[in-house]
Amino acid sequence: MDVIVLGGGLMGSCTAFFLARRGVKTRLIEHSHIGAGATVASFGNIRRTGRYLPQLPLAHRSLGLWNQSQKLLGRDIEFRATGHLRLIFDKDSLHDMRCFADDAKPWGFEIEEIGKAEIAKRFPGLGPSAIAASFSPNDGSANPRLSAPAFADAAAREGVEIISQANVRSVTHDGKCFSVVTGKGTFESSVLLNCTGAWGTKIAETFNEPVPLTIRGPQMGVTEPFPHKIHPVVGMWSRESGAYLRQVERGNIVFGGGVPQVDVDPAIGYAKIDPARLPQQLSKVVKLVPALKNLTIIRQWSGCEGYVADGLPIMGASSTTDGLFHAFGFSGHGFQLGPGVGDAMSELITTGKCETPLAPFAISRFHKDS
């Protein structure tokens, strides 16, 4: 067996790495730079709280690999299991949190409910107007700018051929073999994995299985260093767009959320931040940590993420073409899943089955009547 992994974000880089560890001849082809798509736009959140429940087995699998990341990769990608604190400011959100907590227990995930007084005691300065919070102590964050390149480098050491800035022009299949035509040559394989993120549906359309997917980008920012130590990743339970933040070890505060995602011009290929949305976003960030009110924002950015209509990713074998597999459309919540996706897809590709249930993410869910 030989495999082409198309797309060098976190999903593709992780899958290439785990395929190589299973002894598979693998080539990783990226249209642009490794990790330059949705991965580089990511907040770096490694959370299980609030996930679609059937996704939790994959999230558990991934967390186990994040915990092994330094050993696996031979370098620090700043994974820190600092915990995930999600603040609650209204009764509806408290109800939502308690329902999720009850429903998640059979899936092997428990979160702690913390009252107002306990928040002030354990996490001083965070959410003083919050009425409660949830806390997941084993979750945390990692650096998205380091993660995909680190997995790709580790994959290369395992024998994977990395071809970046390849300017992919076409992908075809002659019934036996896939052919990927790029600006750096034509490459063939018996198996193709589509990890092209926001462009995943274009590859799927080539093989008669389109996916309803829109392209949007987050609105992210980072502040100057701040002396106070905010240990957990901090988020918000909200039926609207909730803000989130984390403090990196250099002291800066990375933040996002609080406003709808930014639209992407397909001709450009990535989103640009909208300065008019910043006041609304910052009002929610300051609600999480009032002491941030007077900090200077030193940079803002966005990116390009693929959002599937039902909010769930596409993972698994093609419904039309033997040897074709998909892992794309993670709808803004894929970073935590990256290593688990790579491990699970490598298992599926090499053995034809996967110990982690992937049926809810099958591409065939959009083609049941076709």
Side-chain angles (χ1 to χ4, degrees), residues 26-282:
T26 305
R27 179 179 285 121
L28 177 64
I29 300 177
E30 164 56 38
H31 182 83
S32 181
H33 298 277
I34 297 295
T39 304
V40 79
S42 172
F43 172 68
N45 203 358
I46 295 176
R47 66 157 178 91
R48 290 169 294 167
T49 302
R51 286 195 177 275
Y52 175 63
L53 294 171
Q55 201 175 73
L56 283 173
L58 183 62
H60 296 329
R61 181 173 186 162
S62 197
L63 182 61
L65 292 165
W66 281 114
N67 278 286
Q68 300 175 44
S69 59
Q70 188 157 353
K71 180 180 178 181
L72 287 170
L73 303 175
R75 72 173 75 171
D76 180 14
I77 55 174
E78 298 179 6
F79 167 70
R80 303 290 185 268
T82 55
H84 184 266
L85 181 73
R86 206 163 184 178
L87 296 163
I88 300 167
F89 296 93
D90 60 82
K91 291 183 179 179
D92 287 342
S93 297
L94 179 59
H95 171 77
D96 293 345
M97 184 276 288
R98 287 173 172 170
C99 287
F100 174 81
D102 289 341
D103 293 342
K105 287 179 182 178
W107 294 89
F109 181 51
E110 294 193 21
I111 54 177
E112 177 187 3
E113 180 178 332
I114 302 174
K116 185 177 181 67
E118 191 69 9
I119 297 171
K121 180 180 178 181
R122 293 169 57 180
F123 306 103
L126 304 187
S129 62
I131 61 173
S134 66
F135 185 60
S136 172
N138 297 317
D139 292 322
S141 64
N143 190 328
R145 293 178 178 272
L146 300 178
S147 298
F151 272 100
D153 288 349
R157 293 196 299 272
E158 295 282 348
V160 174
E161 182 181 4
I162 310 291
I163 304 168
S164 61
Q165 302 181 67
N167 187 23
V168 176
R169 296 169 182 172
S170 68
V171 181
T172 57
H173 186 243
D174 64 6
K176 295 182 179 179
C177 182
F178 293 93
S179 179
V180 180
V181 179
T182 79
K184 292 188 173 181
T186 298
F187 305 95
E188 296 183 338
S189 69
S190 58
V191 176
L192 178 73
L193 173 61
N194 171 20
C195 285
T196 55
W199 293 271
T201 190
K202 291 186 177 181
I203 302 297
E205 285 173 3
T206 302
F207 298 97
N208 300 310
E209 44 187 356
V211 172
L213 179 147
T214 57
I215 305 176
R216 301 195 296 274
Q219 180 147 317
M220 307 297 300
V222 62
T223 74
E224 63 183 324
F226 180 57
H228 181 73
K229 297 301 181 184
I230 302 172
H231 293 289
V233 176
V234 184
M236 179 186 297
W237 283 94
S238 176
R239 295 184 179 181
E240 300 176 352
S241 180
Y244 43 84
L245 60 87
R246 63 186 177 92
Q247 186 171 31
V248 302
E249 291 169 5
R250 292 168 293 280
N252 310 76
I253 306 295
V254 181
F255 64 88
V259 291
Q261 293 90 1
V262 185
D263 292 333
V264 173
D265 181 348
I268 298 175
Y270 58 89
K272 296 183 178 180
I273 59 101
D274 179 1
R277 303 184 186 195
L278 185 59
Q280 178 186 352
Q281 184 177 44
L282 293 181

